[in-house]
Amino acid sequence: EIVLTQSPGTLSLSPGERATLSCRASQSVSSSYLAWYQQKPGQAPRLLIYGASSRATGIPDRFSGSGSGTDFTLTISRLEPEDFAVYYCQQYGSSTFTFGPGTKVDIK
Amino acid sequence: EVQLVQSGAEVKKPGESLKISCKGSGYSFTSYWIGWVRQMPGKGLEWMGIIYPGDSDTRYSPSFQGQVTISADKSISTAYLQWSSLKASDTAMYYCARAPRGDLDYWGQGTLVTVSS
């Protein structure tokens, strides 16, 4: 099973700042089958990025994904007030899909 | 419009059985995998398993194999998650979601399962 590690655990930033979130896999994720989700309190998660770098339908272009192999990054270029949430990565390149533990982006 | 609508919250006692549902609409239900995800109170997301309603091909996470059963009835565009004997540790929010590639693009609203004596 591929284990995903996300860092930092919490990121404290101000609106307008750039957020850089990391997701590291215990082994290579085949074909960059890596997704990112945003979850706000009391809501279901929302798909942001799939295939490591493709934005899902309706996702603003301030969200971008990059990386391959074992190291992936989600970047939010300029934080909007609605972006403060928990972010999860997920790999689907192996027979058992797994999620990372999440990074909380909160207001500084 | 793609929608996944889950059944309502449940309160059960340890040892009881339970089956929750996830009804898809607005797309070809038999052409997309459906995944199930657990979220325990205050915790992160856990992958449980996935089913292809077209032929009921089902895959489980090792952590959930033997603990739950995932099924689907394509005639009514509904996927299910069931337990034969609930434990207090099954208390969680359970989400279903459509999986076009393995990522999860449309999610149900979640079903809260509470197991308490």
Side-chain angles (χ1 to χ4, degrees), chain A residues 1 35 37 39 43-47 50 88 90 92 95-101, chain B residues 37 39 43-47 50 60-63 95 101-105 107-108:
Chain A
E1 179 175 304
Y37 302 86
Q39 188 179 32
Q43 296 184 16
R46 176 173 72 144
L47 177 66
Y50 64 93
Y88 297 94
Q90 177 225 349
Y92 49 102
S95 58
T96 299
F97 302 167
T98 50
F99 287 98
Chain B
V37 176
Q39 188 167 38
K43 302 299 183 183
L45 306 174
E46 298 176 88
W47 182 269
I50 195 167
Y60 293 93
S61 164
S63 301
Y95 293 102
R101 298 157 289 263
D103 53 297
L104 302 169
D105 64 350
W107 292 66

Side-chain angles (χ1 to χ4, degrees), chain B residues 28-71:
Chain B
S28 174
F29 186 74
T30 54
S31 300
Y32 291 82
W33 293 81
I34 292 282
W36 286 93
V37 176
R38 182 175 80 174
Q39 188 167 38
M40 299 178 77
K43 302 299 183 183
L45 306 174
E46 298 176 88
W47 182 269
M48 300 180 72
I50 195 167
I51 187 166
Y52 190 73
D55 61 6
S56 291
D57 184 9
T58 307
R59 322 277 174 86
Y60 293 93
S61 164
S63 301
F64 292 92
Q65 179 85 48
Q67 308 305 307
V68 297
T69 301
I70 293 170
S71 61

